Amino acid sequence: MDNQFFKNIEKKTGVNMRDVFELANSLQNANFKDEKTVRHVIHRVAQIANRKVPKELEDQIVKTIVQSGKQLDFNTIADMLGKK
């Protein structure tokens, strides 16, 4: 993929692709059984997406992720934040 592709995504979404890649890299070795780590990831995704996450939704996401302990990627978390 070329640089223009990512510039087009940034233009359409307003999301800095460098931030997305940095987050994706940080997720590779993250411990998703650690509540503090999961909350940090949720806050970072919300910041990148320029969205506020209500405390109740954050708690629900944290509980789901910590209990499953599965590795997550950016798309999975972004989808969770997108649900109303």
Side-chain angles (χ1 to χ4, degrees):
M1 289 187 214
D2 64 10
N3 199 23
Q4 187 59 41
F5 174 78
F6 295 118
K7 286 183 181 180
N8 287 340
I9 291 174
E10 286 180 348
K11 184 177 178 181
K12 289 180 181 179
T13 65
V15 174
N16 183 312
M17 293 308 295
R18 180 179 297 137
D19 292 340
V20 172
F21 290 124
E22 287 175 4
L23 177 63
N25 286 334
S26 74
L27 296 179
Q28 290 179 0
N29 298 316
N31 177 6
F32 289 103
K33 290 188 177 187
D34 176 54
E35 182 177 328
K36 184 177 179 181
T37 299
V38 173
R39 287 190 188 279
H40 174 75
V41 170
I42 292 168
H43 292 176
R44 187 67 182 124
V45 171
Q47 180 183 25
I48 290 170
N50 197 27
R51 300 220 24 214
K52 292 197 183 267
V53 179
K55 178 73 170 134
E56 303 82 33
L57 178 57
E58 179 182 327
D59 291 342
Q60 179 183 6
I61 294 170
V62 169
K63 181 179 176 185
T64 301
I65 293 171
V66 169
Q67 285 180 351
S68 74
K70 294 180 182 176
Q71 293 293 324
L72 300 174
D73 59 25
F74 181 80
N75 289 333
T76 303
I77 297 170
D79 288 345
M80 293 175 108
L81 291 175
K83 291 182 180 177
K84 303 260 179 198

